[in-house]
Amino acid sequence: MAKWSDDQWGAQGGYQTVAGPSPGYSQPYAQTVNPPTPYPDQAYDGGDTKSPYEGGRFQPKKRVNDPIFLILFILQLLGFAALSGVAINGWIKVGGLGGGIGGDGETGSSVTLNWHTVYLLLLVTAAGLLLSTAYLMLVRAFTRVIMHITLVLAIVANIAICAYYWITGYYSAAIIFTIVAVFSVLAYFGFRSRIPLASLLLQVVMDISKHHLSTYFVAFSALFLQAALSVWFVFTSIAIYARWTPGNPGCGTTSSCSSGKVAGLLFYSVFSYLWTSQVIGNVALATLAGGPYGCWYYFGPRDLGQMPKHPTLSAFARASTLSLGSIAFGSLIVTILELIRMILNAARNNASQQGSPIEACLACCAELFVSCIESLVRYFNRYAYIEIALYGKPYLQAAKDTFNLFRDRGIDALVNDSLVGTTLTFGAYMVGLLCSLFAYLYLRFTHPSYNAEGQYTAPVVLFAFLIGLQCSLTLSSTIEAGVSTIFVGLGQDPQVLAMRAPPLFAMIAERYPHVVQGVPRV
């Protein structure tokens, strides 16, 4: 076996299922204890050790799963491209609507958005990209303390933004962020005792990524695709306003322009943006789960010589072709929930502006309820995508097997105890908040003519939040893929984790002995 540096796990003998080490120490890239001898595509001769190819793992059937959703996804993307082409072409013909960065904001049309918003949302996209990258670098540099830092900063950000909205009189947002701030404070005190195990798990995942630079290549590729999609979406949205809003130069005297048409086309654009964004992030997740992380779990570190050649490229080929329909299926469910939440958010803002507190409160409660469902579905889907990445299953079969996995061995208790996903979500949430706050301050201090009465503040701030959030979630999927892959492997083949990362296995076995029993093979 290759020589390991002094910061390795250091366990050379068998593992113990008693107290593990303190996660405060950095012990990167857990090495294999008593590694197996080379094996062909078949089960091992004895013991609990099984072939990594068992059940078709890493060797899925050559068939396209969920083709209907694959076709729907391709059609909606083509439809968005056609709509974008028509809208942007019509917008260019009239030379835009004037306006620019900063200034007095009095140029351009007062009917709809102008270049002010184009530059604003482009700047928001750049800010989201930079902030997301900076957060990943912080996770990489301060793995052991990043959970405490992120949770505390999230609380501080919630309180600060809440106070700012109260001071500036944006009461509908102030009420929401007051509730969020209170819950974030209470959640932190409940999470503190669970941080050690999650910290150790995060260290293992980050240390695996050190030895597989393809994880960062996939993450940044997905991030740049997400940023490019956001820029495309920005230009398309502004062009739709300019092309079909009555009274704009791009509309002319034709009768095809109407506010209803603008609303419908923008709704479709948002739907396409969210669905495509989801698919980009989930393809990246499936690539990493079926590539470096999954291969590390079942084949061991690259130095052992058992890992297939180019695992990341092979996993990407499967995720972007045979399994793309399944990924699009799961992503569509989350997209629909996101749209419902956005509609409720708009209803809440409208009721607040019209002075209807009861309607605003009801819409707020409904929005929180849908948001909780969306979070649960998004969380569950992540594990379903790993089943898809490892075995090439259709979405419904992967979802069923994931549910059975959680139910049969109580692995949901372990998953819920991990704060890695919570930490990364808080980080993405903070990036989205900072982007939305930047957009709000820009509108407040530049005073664009189209927003003289503040009627476009809510949609612009919402777009900015979505762009920042999606950029950060796409980048953080690198880490979540590793965490979730270890959880899935632990539920199906816990003895493998005992070889790969003995200290982590020992801590899990001590706290959740029923989890490490695995799932019975039928």
Side-chain angles (χ1 to χ4, degrees):
M1 177 182 293
K3 183 178 179 180
W4 298 85
S5 59
D6 294 337
D7 64 346
Q8 304 299 324
W9 290 93
Q12 299 294 332
Y15 61 87
Q16 295 178 343
T17 57
V18 292
S22 170
Y25 297 94
S26 178
Q27 299 169 314
Y29 201 57
Q31 70 182 72
T32 300
V33 177
N34 297 330
T37 57
Y39 45 84
D41 182 11
Q42 59 186 13
Y44 290 114
D45 294 331
D48 292 331
T49 309
K50 300 179 177 65
S51 167
Y53 296 105
E54 182 187 12
R57 189 188 297 122
F58 302 114
Q59 292 182 335
K61 296 179 180 180
K62 303 296 182 180
R63 65 183 180 189
V64 177
N65 293 319
D66 298 307
I68 294 178
F69 293 94
L70 174 60
I71 295 172
L72 289 176
F73 175 74
I74 294 174
L75 289 177
Q76 69 82 24
L77 188 58
L78 292 176
F80 177 74
L83 171 62
S84 176
V86 172
I88 293 177
N89 182 62
W91 186 38
I92 292 175
K93 286 182 177 180
V94 296
L97 297 175
I101 298 180
D104 58 13
E106 299 304 325
T107 60
S109 169
S110 61
V111 178
T112 185
L113 308 183
N114 60 13
W115 273 103
H116 252 282
T117 314
V118 176
Y119 289 125
L120 166 61
L121 295 183
L122 288 176
L123 289 174
V124 167
T125 300
L129 191 152
L130 292 175
L131 290 171
S132 301
T133 302
Y135 183 71
L136 183 64
M137 293 174 64
L138 288 174
V139 173
R140 178 69 179 80
F142 304 102
T143 304
R144 289 175 291 177
V145 296
I146 195 63
M147 292 187 179
H148 287 287
I149 293 175
T150 301
L151 294 176
V152 170
L153 287 179
I155 293 173
V156 172
N158 283 330
I159 294 176
I161 294 176
C162 170
Y164 182 80
Y165 283 148
W166 278 114
I167 293 173
T168 56
Y170 194 9
Y171 296 116
S172 61
I175 294 174
I176 293 297
F177 281 103
T178 299
I179 297 174
V180 171
V182 171
F183 274 101
S184 63
V185 172
L186 296 176
Y188 175 74
F189 290 101
F191 286 160
R192 285 190 305 174
S193 62
R194 303 178 180 183
I195 287 179
L197 176 58
S199 297
L200 183 57
L201 178 61
L202 181 58
Q203 288 178 33
V204 171
V205 173
M206 293 302 297
D207 295 331
I208 295 172
S209 66
K210 294 178 186 177
H211 293 72
H212 296 274
L213 296 181
S214 59
T215 58
Y216 294 105
F217 177 79
V218 171
F220 281 101
S221 297
L223 178 60
F224 283 117
L225 282 176
Q226 181 65 64
L229 177 65
S230 298
V231 171
W232 188 14
F233 169 69
V234 166
F235 274 98
T236 302
S237 298
I238 304 304
I240 288 173
Y241 270 109
R243 177 66 178 81
W244 286 290
T245 298
N248 269 310
C251 186
T253 59
T254 62
S255 60
S256 62
C257 299
S258 67
S259 299
K261 186 172 185 177
V262 170
L265 292 176
L266 281 177
F267 181 84
Y268 175 75
S269 297
V270 172
F271 166 76
S272 180
Y273 169 72
L274 292 176
W275 193 8
T276 306
S277 174
Q278 288 282 330
V279 170
I280 290 174
N282 292 328
V283 167
L285 187 153
T287 299
L288 295 172
Y293 291 125
C295 288
W296 171 84
Y297 192 93
Y298 286 102
F299 292 95
R302 189 188 302 275
D303 292 346
L304 295 181
Q306 306 303 319
M307 188 176 293
K309 294 182 179 180
H310 310 298
T312 305
L313 185 60
S314 299
F316 173 73
R318 296 194 300 269
S320 59
T321 55
L322 302 179
S323 298
L324 185 58
S326 301
I327 293 174
F329 188 179
S331 301
L332 178 60
I333 297 174
V334 176
T335 299
I336 293 174
L337 291 172
E338 280 193 278
L339 286 173
I340 294 174
R341 180 169 55 83
M342 291 174 62
I343 292 172
L344 292 172
N345 179 272
R348 174 177 59 81
N349 289 331
N350 184 60
S352 179
Q353 292 177 358
Q354 293 181 355
S356 304
I358 297 178
E359 288 81 354
C361 183
L362 291 175
C364 177
C365 293
E367 181 185 355
L368 290 176
F369 177 73
V370 173
S371 179
C372 290
I373 296 177
E374 177 195 339
S375 299
L376 291 174
V377 173
R378 189 190 298 271
Y379 190 82
F380 179 84
N381 272 356
R382 188 162 69 245
Y383 294 90
Y385 295 141
I386 294 173
E387 292 281 344
I388 292 171
L390 295 177
Y391 298 94
K393 301 174 181 177
Y395 175 76
L396 292 180
Q397 182 62 46
K400 178 182 177 181
D401 292 344
T402 301
F403 176 79
N404 291 335
L405 180 68
F406 286 3
R407 181 195 62 189
D408 292 343
R409 291 302 174 185
I411 198 173
D412 56 321
L414 175 61
V415 170
N416 288 330
D417 195 47
S418 171
L419 296 181
V420 176
T422 303
T423 301
L424 297 175
T425 301
F426 265 121
Y429 175 68
M430 289 174 59
V431 170
L433 286 180
L434 291 175
C435 289
S436 63
L437 181 60
F438 172 74
Y440 179 72
L441 292 175
Y442 186 95
L443 290 176
R444 186 174 180 84
F445 291 111
T446 58
H447 306 293
S449 56
Y450 70 83
N451 198 45
E453 298 180 0
Q455 65 270 34
Y456 287 109
T457 297
V460 169
V461 169
L462 178 60
F463 284 164
F465 177 80
L466 287 174
I467 290 171
L469 180 70
Q470 291 294 347
C471 286
S472 186
L473 287 176
T474 299
L475 193 57
S476 66
S477 65
T478 305
I479 309 303
E480 289 187 287
V483 173
S484 304
T485 302
I486 290 177
F487 281 153
V488 171
L490 177 66
Q492 297 177 341
D493 299 286
Q495 74 285 348
V496 177
L497 184 63
M499 293 189 297
R500 300 287 179 257
L504 177 61
F505 181 85
M507 183 176 286
I508 294 173
E510 179 186 22
R511 188 160 187 172
Y512 299 106
H514 61 287
V515 171
V516 299
Q517 295 174 7
V519 176
R521 302 291 180 180
V522 180

